[in-house]
Amino acid sequence: MSAERTEAHTVEWWQQFETASDRFDEAILTTGLTELLLPKITSQLLQREADIAADIAILFRNKRSSEGLRDRFDGARNRLRETIGRLEERGVDPATLVEALAVSWVLDGEYSRAAAEIEPRVGAVVLLRIFVSALRVSHLDVNVTAQLLNAGRTPAESIYAGKIVGKYGYWPDWLRELVVEHAQAGTLTTEFVAALDLCAFATLRSTQARMARQLLRREPAAIATAARTLETIGEPDIAARLREGDMGAVAFAARFASV
């Protein structure tokens, strides 16, 4: 095949997409995966059966309450499996059945199994587009999500960071950059995000923002300077919290510390 072969991610890796959003849309995923796979099935008989089954599966996943569609879906899915089974019994080259098998797994709801199997043949990028589109996450920054996925972060980490950047689009650039920075390091927590939001609302001047960035990065010299300033102005408790790593103290500290 012309697609560049890559090392596949695991089934478990792909499964993280399915639990990353409570709006995960199986119909969108079924549509995307089957549209990718169907043209690659070389057997005309298999392609016809898979095409029919995929169309009915998409209808059913958009209207699961329909008993009539369920019966049609089950029948089409079974016919596809039986056709694959007959070809296997005839000794057909297994490599020519991969895409049809993957379609059958998609119909069974085993999306991650299908993705892991076909990734080396089609590449990760096209599959990522399909899985991300199925998330139906509002305010998701797709570029940040893709950047982190390409950097080797897990889907859960990448999607979480993408949602934060998308949700807080009004933050200044330096705060959004810190989201990506910490996501890449695997240290993006809800506490850290809350601290960033406090900084966003603190209307910091440029020098104060620079100090806040240093404090959020836990730079020792900046922490020492800010803590001394806080003690000087009569805020020893906040100074202690800052030294102990309390991110909630950063915005307050940055407003009074000099650089």
Side-chain angles (χ1 to χ4, degrees), residues 6-217:
T6 60
E7 182 180 353
H9 293 94
T10 64
V11 173
E12 292 74 20
W13 191 90
W14 286 106
Q15 282 175 337
Q16 293 180 67
F17 285 95
E18 299 179 42
T19 57
S21 168
D22 57 6
R23 301 180 63 201
F24 191 79
D25 195 318
E26 294 185 58
I28 290 176
L29 190 60
T30 300
T31 301
L33 289 175
T34 55
E35 286 182 349
L36 173 66
L37 292 164
L38 288 171
K40 301 180 185 300
I41 299 175
T42 55
S43 164
Q44 290 185 346
L45 174 62
L46 264 183
Q47 189 180 74
R48 183 169 63 253
E49 292 288 359
D51 196 5
I52 293 170
D55 284 345
I56 297 173
I58 293 164
L59 289 173
F60 173 62
R61 283 177 178 147
N62 277 314
K63 196 174 182 181
R64 289 185 179 273
S65 61
S66 172
E67 289 298 325
L69 280 176
R70 175 179 288 279
D71 291 340
R72 290 175 59 197
F73 168 61
D74 287 339
R77 179 172 55 173
N78 290 335
R79 284 192 298 274
L80 175 59
R81 288 174 178 161
E82 291 166 1
T83 303
I84 294 172
R86 287 196 300 271
L87 291 173
E88 288 175 329
E89 290 173 359
R90 293 175 189 172
V92 171
D93 183 359
T96 65
L97 302 177
V98 170
E99 285 79 12
L101 278 168
V103 169
S104 74
W105 295 334
V106 170
L107 301 184
D108 290 340
E110 296 184 73
Y111 312 109
S112 301
R113 180 184 181 187
E117 176 65 30
I118 65 173
E119 183 186 346
R121 300 164 74 95
V122 303
V125 174
V126 64
L127 290 171
L128 286 172
R129 290 197 191 103
I130 295 170
F131 273 78
V132 170
S133 69
L135 293 173
R136 293 185 61 199
V137 174
S138 58
H139 307 301
L140 178 70
D141 190 304
V142 176
N143 290 333
V144 166
T145 302
Q147 176 185 344
L148 292 169
L149 286 167
N150 290 334
R153 302 315 306 180
T154 67
E157 292 169 322
S158 303
I159 293 164
Y160 176 59
K163 287 194 290 188
I164 294 300
V165 173
K167 178 180 179 181
Y168 298 107
Y170 56 85
W171 283 359
D173 290 344
W174 68 272
L175 286 175
R176 294 198 297 273
E177 289 167 2
L178 282 172
V179 172
V180 176
E181 184 178 301
H182 277 257
Q184 287 175 329
T187 56
L188 185 61
T189 64
T190 54
E191 178 194 12
F192 187 75
V193 172
L196 296 182
D197 202 32
L198 287 174
C199 289
F201 279 100
T203 59
L204 303 175
R205 297 191 301 274
S206 60
T207 54
Q208 294 170 333
R210 186 161 58 250
M211 171 59 79
R213 185 162 52 244
Q214 293 169 343
L215 295 175
L216 290 165
R217 286 174 172 158

